[in-house]
Amino acid sequence: MKKIIPLILTGIVTCMALTGCEVNEPFVVGTASSTGTFYYVGAAIGNAVSDNCDLNVMVQATAGSNENVALLLSKDIDVGMANSDAIYGAYHGEMSYADAGELDVMEVAALYESQLHVFVTEKSGITDISQLKGKRVCVGSQGTSYLFINEAILNAYGITIDDITPYYMNYAESAQALADGDIDAAFQTGGYPIAGIQQYAATTSFRMLPVSDVVVEEILEAYPFARPSMIPPDVYENQTNEEEVSTIAYHTCLFTSSWVDEDRIYEFTKTMMETLDSYKDTNDATRQISPDTIATEYIPFHPGAARYYREAGLLD
């Protein structure tokens, strides 16, 4: 049996199979921090698939997109979650994967949009990204792919990484650090509401900083996998924005590699979609999963996923 990295206790989805189904080798899905949207969506999908076919799905908390690429290539997970920027970069050998070159990654599904959140405390008085020069800024979590683009956004405002004191924290850590006054701003990307932010927004007034239309256009021109998006003003308790907040977003995707068995990916994809009604109301992110967008292709699909999408009439 292949090596399975020890799972964080809270990151395990109980492995259940229907009566009469063969219990198979674990099918491991790498997500991200247990306080992030990746994890909650991965757990919802994993439970539904385990409950309705013979795949023994386990959901593993990880450091996010980039670690999931590494875990997949080392055969420690079968499927990973990542934003479209990560799988695009890994497949083409670009951005943070320029030194690694083109990697053996293949898409399984496009799930939902993850929005860039740039947030500060209301008491900081900061209202624009241009004011972050000289500040203590969390630029994201270590192991996440969007660090590269967060830096590009700062650059578009005339701010280099040397102009700030950078921190690398997960959702909950950065929200707590903001609340405690240990940092001045945080960049985090996830489908709203991000649980780690939501927790601290219950007691601290936060403001989301908009990405200007000019910078949004600059990012979209440079990065074809990005898209414009908006964060509503009332997503988080004590969020002080009175209007929608302009930002960028990436499709959060499931991806795999050519070494993973075609039939297992086919079964996972088919069951995930045929049980969608059972978990789509888990949160705002799962409500975005739709047959209309699931087969949005950022890199070539794995043959198992492509086979299901063709059978379902979702792919030519």
Side-chain angles (χ1 to χ4, degrees):
M1 180 179 292
K2 70 182 177 184
K3 175 185 174 185
I4 300 295
I5 291 179
L7 300 181
I8 296 173
L9 183 58
T10 58
I12 298 177
V13 174
T14 303
C15 305
M16 299 179 291
L18 294 179
T19 303
C21 288
E22 179 184 357
V23 178
N24 286 332
E25 179 180 5
F27 186 93
V28 185
V29 178
T31 58
S33 164
S34 60
T35 62
T37 308
F38 275 27
Y39 179 80
Y40 287 93
V41 173
I45 292 172
N47 273 320
V49 173
S50 285
D51 284 349
N52 291 281
C53 75
D54 63 350
L55 287 178
N56 178 13
V57 179
M58 288 185 172
V59 173
Q60 178 174 322
T62 72
S65 296
N66 285 348
E67 185 179 27
N68 289 337
V69 171
L71 291 172
L72 181 66
L73 297 179
S74 62
K75 301 186 178 181
D76 289 310
I77 63 174
D78 299 275
V79 164
M81 293 183 72
N83 289 326
S84 54
D85 60 311
I87 62 172
Y88 183 95
Y91 178 79
H92 291 284
E94 297 179 2
M95 299 180 297
S96 56
Y97 293 94
D99 292 338
E102 298 175 3
L103 301 178
D104 179 18
V105 293
M106 309 184 84
E107 190 174 344
V108 173
L111 300 177
Y112 62 91
E113 282 192 353
S114 286
Q115 286 78 18
L116 168 64
H117 296 59
V118 185
F119 60 110
V120 297
T121 58
E122 180 63 20
K123 67 181 180 181
S124 72
I126 298 170
T127 58
D128 192 80
I129 294 174
S130 63
Q131 296 173 275
L132 298 184
K133 191 170 186 176
K135 303 295 186 182
R136 300 161 299 171
V137 181
C138 171
V139 291
S141 307
Q142 287 285 14
T144 53
S145 58
Y146 50 78
L147 292 175
F148 188 93
I149 299 179
N150 290 350
E151 186 172 347
I153 291 171
L154 286 169
N155 293 167
Y157 281 90
I159 302 171
T160 71
I161 201 73
D162 293 329
D163 292 329
I164 63 172
T165 302
Y167 288 77
Y168 302 89
M169 303 173 174
N170 66 28
Y171 306 114
E173 290 168 344
S174 59
Q176 181 172 7
L178 271 176
D180 293 343
D182 295 330
I183 61 174
D184 302 298
F187 284 64
Q188 294 289 4
T189 298
Y192 62 74
I194 297 174
I197 298 175
Q198 200 170 30
Q199 175 184 352
Y200 289 93
T203 56
T204 304
S205 293
F206 287 110
R207 171 176 291 275
M208 299 291 167
L209 304 183
V211 181
S212 73
D213 291 344
V214 171
V215 174
V216 167
E217 287 303 316
E218 185 175 329
I219 295 299
L220 297 185
E221 184 175 347
Y223 306 105
F225 45 78
R227 57 183 65 200
S229 189
M230 293 283 183
I231 298 175
D234 56 352
V235 170
Y236 298 97
E237 189 175 356
N238 291 317
Q239 178 183 345
T240 60
N241 302 92
E242 296 180 355
E243 299 178 350
E244 287 186 318
V245 180
S246 173
T247 189
I248 61 170
Y250 320 99
H251 241 131
T252 292
C253 299
L254 291 170
F255 71 102
T256 187
S257 182
S258 64
W259 67 263
V260 183
D261 180 73
E262 178 179 333
D263 289 339
R264 281 163 68 82
I265 294 296
Y266 170 83
E267 186 173 13
F268 176 84
T269 307
K270 183 175 188 291
T271 308
M272 172 181 69
M273 291 308 297
E274 291 184 348
T275 61
L276 178 58
D277 286 347
S278 71
Y279 64 85
K280 69 178 181 181
D281 290 329
T282 300
N283 55 39
D284 286 341
T286 53
R287 278 188 278 274
Q288 294 181 48
I289 301 174
S290 165
D292 295 333
T293 55
I294 199 76
T296 303
E297 190 172 51
Y298 291 97
I299 62 174
F301 282 112
H302 187 280
R307 191 204 324 169
Y308 169 71
Y309 294 139
R310 290 190 181 99
E311 288 179 359
L314 303 177
L315 191 68
D316 293 333

